[in-house]
Amino acid sequence: MKPRKDDFLERSKHLQKMTDDELNQYFWHLVEKVVDPLIELAKTHTSPSVERSVLLRMGFNSIEASKLVDMIFQRGLLGKGAGHIVWKIAKEKNIDIIEAGRALIEGKFWEDVDRIFKGVKNDA
């Protein structure tokens, strides 16, 4: 195999006059260019098994995780992320994540989920 020609000095000319701050900003700009498509892909390509896995890692047991994912899927919110939904409710209600998930399983807080994730307003 033929060794690759070292052309670093040529390829890095646009970086050589940058300050440390400019290099730092440029680095994060490049990171965003790489990560943004991945984030977009994650928003549109999840599955019940992925979401159950997230909830299991958050501390829910498999029965709780399955029930939560089913309930979230039935509402058309799986793309919002099951863990994200539970976390948002826990944060809004100032309760533990497990407590929030179990409350959702019991049928509580779904009006809040709709308000937060669907923009549904309650006429109460």
Side-chain angles (χ1 to χ4, degrees):
M1 184 164 23
K2 184 177 171 183
R4 182 174 172 246
K5 178 184 167 198
D6 182 3
D7 61 349
F8 174 76
L9 290 176
E10 183 64 32
R11 289 184 303 117
S12 66
K13 278 187 179 178
H14 66 289
L15 304 173
Q16 292 171 5
K17 292 185 181 180
M18 287 186 181
T19 65
D20 284 347
D21 188 48
E22 290 169 330
L23 284 169
N24 186 45
Q25 288 176 355
Y26 184 63
F27 169 80
W28 287 110
H29 167 73
L30 293 176
V31 168
E32 286 177 13
K33 284 177 68 174
V34 170
V35 173
D36 283 349
L38 298 175
I39 291 171
E40 197 55 39
L41 187 64
K43 286 180 182 177
T44 58
H45 292 77
T46 191
S47 69
S49 63
V50 167
E51 297 305 321
R52 278 191 300 275
S53 178
V54 169
L55 292 172
L56 289 169
R57 281 157 182 76
M58 290 173 70
F60 292 96
N61 66 44
S62 61
I63 294 169
E64 293 167 331
S66 291
K67 184 68 175 167
L68 278 166
V69 167
D70 289 345
M71 296 172 90
I72 291 166
F73 181 78
Q74 290 170 2
R75 286 171 172 78
L77 293 171
L78 200 61
K80 302 293 184 181
H84 183 216
I85 290 171
V86 173
W87 176 78
K88 279 288 234 190
I89 292 301
K91 185 176 175 188
E92 182 169 289
K93 300 298 179 183
N94 198 29
I95 57 177
D96 179 77
I97 289 172
I98 301 297
E99 185 180 347
R102 289 178 178 160
L104 288 168
I105 291 169
E106 294 170 5
K108 300 176 185 171
F109 306 139
W110 287 105
E111 65 281 354
D112 298 302
V113 171
D114 288 342
R115 176 180 46 78
I116 294 167
F117 292 97
K118 291 184 177 178
V120 174
K121 291 183 173 63
N122 294 330
D123 294 335

